[in-house]
Amino acid sequence: MKISIFPVIAVILIGNAGLCPAAAPQEIFQRDGSEATIESYRKAIDAAKDNEERAQSYKKLGDLYAARGDFKNAADEYIRALSLKKNFPEKERLRMAVSISWGDRLGEAIAEFQALLNEDPNNTEARTDLARTLSWAGRYDESLDEIDTVLG
């Protein structure tokens, strides 16, 4: 039996507004100015005592960029954070990977979605976002395979 998956593909490829970055960093920007906040995180990164602390600072800086809609810079910071620390909570890693994809770093986003799926193959959000990102990368057959898996 053949069913049309076009409506599902459209929903998957359009986006998932529920993963929008948290508002708290945006409030920080509004309160004290973005450049001063960015500079304070850069100093914290330089002064970090270990990679764990440095990774957290990169992640927080990525959160700040994402909150103001600067996904290119957010992606750079999230990639740095993930290169130093792989054990961020699953939801945070998923949110970082989505922002990385929005920053047009599709290969890195795909790799993070796949890493999440290696840990939890039943993570429907990660698989859906992987399908979307694969389609953006022009990898349509792989995207459809992921959509088929989601639809089960």
Side-chain angles (χ1 to χ4, degrees):
M1 174 174 145
K2 282 218 173 229
I3 60 170
S4 174
I5 61 171
F6 177 75
V8 175
I9 292 172
V11 170
I12 290 172
L13 299 179
I14 290 171
N16 184 349
L19 290 176
C20 191
Q26 190 171 23
E27 293 168 9
I28 294 170
F29 271 110
Q30 292 171 348
R31 189 172 56 243
D32 64 8
S34 62
E35 295 311 311
T37 305
I38 290 169
E39 185 58 32
S40 70
Y41 276 109
R42 293 274 178 229
K43 288 179 183 176
I45 290 165
D46 290 340
K49 66 180 187 259
D50 58 25
N51 282 344
E52 171 81 19
E53 189 176 306
R54 191 170 293 110
Q56 287 295 337
S57 293
Y58 278 129
K59 186 215 171 281
K60 289 176 184 176
L61 184 54
D63 291 344
L64 292 174
Y65 281 123
R68 73 175 189 184
D70 182 351
F71 293 105
K72 181 187 179 321
N73 282 316
D76 292 341
E77 302 306 331
Y78 288 145
I79 291 166
R80 287 182 184 108
L82 289 165
S83 74
L84 295 173
K85 177 183 174 190
K86 293 291 184 192
N87 63 343
F88 284 99
E90 183 177 307
K91 283 287 188 191
E92 287 184 24
R93 287 175 57 205
L94 182 61
R95 191 170 49 79
M96 286 190 278
V98 168
S99 291
I100 291 168
S101 73
W102 291 348
D104 202 29
R105 301 285 296 270
L106 303 180
E108 291 92 338
I110 289 167
E112 188 59 31
F113 290 130
Q114 289 172 332
L116 285 161
L117 288 167
N118 284 338
E119 294 167 21
D120 178 8
N122 297 318
N123 185 331
T124 304
E125 286 183 75
R127 194 166 304 279
T128 301
D129 288 321
L130 174 60
R132 179 181 317 120
T133 306
L134 286 165
S135 73
W136 291 346
R139 295 164 60 179
Y140 303 113
D141 289 340
E142 293 171 80
S143 177
L144 288 172
D145 289 343
E146 295 301 331
I147 291 168
D148 284 342
T149 302
V150 169
L151 295 177

